Amino acid sequence: MKTNQVPLMLGALAATLLFTASCNSPAKDSALTVDNATLKKEIEAANIEFAGFIAKGDSVGMANFYTEDAKLMFANAPAIVGRKNIQTAIHNVLGSGIAKAEFTAIDVWGTGDFVSEEGQSSLFDKAGTQVVKDKYIVLWKKEAGKWRPFRDISNSDLPLPAAK
């Protein structure tokens, strides 16, 4: 072995040992060791709070529940971006006669400040008739210690109306 290759070989060995040690060390970041059952309970509580805004007909409260930079993505429509636009869209939905909502979190996964929720929702009119049945994915973001919807997308479980 040539003398000028020794520092190069020692450097490669040190890098390999450092890489191997970092791969085998337990994670010290508590954000990586999150209890999904606890997260699910927190998201379920947030869903109850959100449904409360619908029951009150409070589009402003609902919009403020989202992050400032949120996107709401309904089926058959462009994405609705930001609280002001979300408030207008929700106002229109509530104005169509929606009076009650039920949300069921099927599963929740997350680490740290982001959580993904898979769920089902039903919306009811003032007479108690189910008018919407959806499945959804919400990406929740923690802001000031509170989970807020950051990305919210849904699509219907109901069949399309028959063509005329």
Side-chain angles (χ1 to χ4, degrees), residues 84-108:
K84 184 178 189 284
N85 295 325
I86 289 172
Q87 190 273 324
T88 300
I90 291 173
H91 175 78
N92 293 335
V93 169
L94 294 175
S96 73
I98 300 299
K100 179 183 171 190
E102 294 175 355
F103 300 99
T104 303
I106 294 171
D107 215 344
V108 173

Side-chain angles (χ1 to χ4, degrees), residues 10 13-15 20 23 36 58 63 85 91 103 121 142 149 152 155 160:
L10 288 176
L13 178 61
T20 304
C23 288
N36 283 341
D58 183 0
N85 295 325
H91 175 78
F103 300 99
S121 64
K142 196 160 238 185
D152 185 349
N155 56 63
L160 290 172

Side-chain angles (χ1 to χ4, degrees), residues 38-115:
T38 300
L39 286 175
K40 187 173 182 184
K41 288 178 184 174
E42 292 174 5
I43 297 305
E44 288 171 334
N47 282 336
I48 290 168
E49 183 180 353
F50 191 71
F53 292 119
I54 294 171
K56 293 181 217 168
D58 183 0
S59 62
V60 174
M62 287 179 72
N64 288 332
F65 193 74
Y66 283 85
T67 63
E68 187 68 40
D69 57 346
K71 283 187 184 180
L72 179 59
M73 296 170 274
F74 290 138
N76 306 318
I80 301 158
V81 181
R83 283 186 182 152
K84 184 178 189 284
N85 295 325
I86 289 172
Q87 190 273 324
T88 300
I90 291 173
H91 175 78
N92 293 335
V93 169
L94 294 175
S96 73
I98 300 299
K100 179 183 171 190
E102 294 175 355
F103 300 99
T104 303
I106 294 171
D107 215 344
V108 173
W109 312 268
T111 58
D113 293 337
F114 285 98
V115 171

